[in-house]
Amino acid sequence: MNLLKPLGDRVLVKVRKEEEKVGGIVLASNAKEKPTSGEVIAVGAGAVDYNGKRMPIDVKVGNVVWYDKYSGTSIKYDGDEYLVIRAGDLLAVED
């Protein structure tokens, strides 16, 4: 399968599916919170600083990351939902 490769300091995250039921009640799509975590699928090479040095990204493929619900750009690719987000916009990574 061909996968998208993020550029620069961007990270490709597969969005976690949120539970659609709460206490046996199915939520309407507009009542659900936007997901704020997902698995890192691909990592860009990193940003380049003013001296031309490549800055490494702190996450790697397979990490579960947390981000603000309004961060990044949503992409649907091969039937799955992804988020392309700048590494600096990530809030936390699970150990």
Side-chain angles (χ1 to χ4, degrees):
M1 173 174 108
N2 290 335
L3 193 59
L4 300 170
K5 174 73 174 160
L7 300 175
D9 66 339
R10 291 176 179 86
V11 177
L12 181 67
V13 176
K14 185 172 184 181
V15 177
R16 282 187 176 175
K17 297 288 184 200
E18 293 296 316
E19 194 64 41
E20 296 184 9
K21 278 186 166 183
V22 176
I25 299 171
V26 178
L27 295 175
S29 61
N30 61 351
K32 291 184 278 185
E33 284 289 320
K34 187 174 176 184
T36 56
S37 66
E39 180 183 352
V40 175
I41 302 299
V43 178
V48 178
D49 70 9
Y50 294 110
N51 297 319
K53 182 179 176 189
R54 183 83 54 187
M55 304 301 295
I57 295 178
D58 294 332
V59 298
K60 61 182 186 257
V61 173
N63 284 147
V64 174
V65 293
W66 293 81
Y67 47 86
D68 184 65
K69 63 183 172 180
Y70 300 110
S71 294
T73 302
S74 294
I75 295 175
K76 290 200 180 208
Y77 184 77
D78 264 354
D80 290 316
E81 187 177 348
Y82 297 93
L83 185 71
V84 178
I85 186 170
R86 289 193 179 274
D89 290 339
L90 296 174
L91 302 175
V93 61
E94 287 184 17
D95 282 336

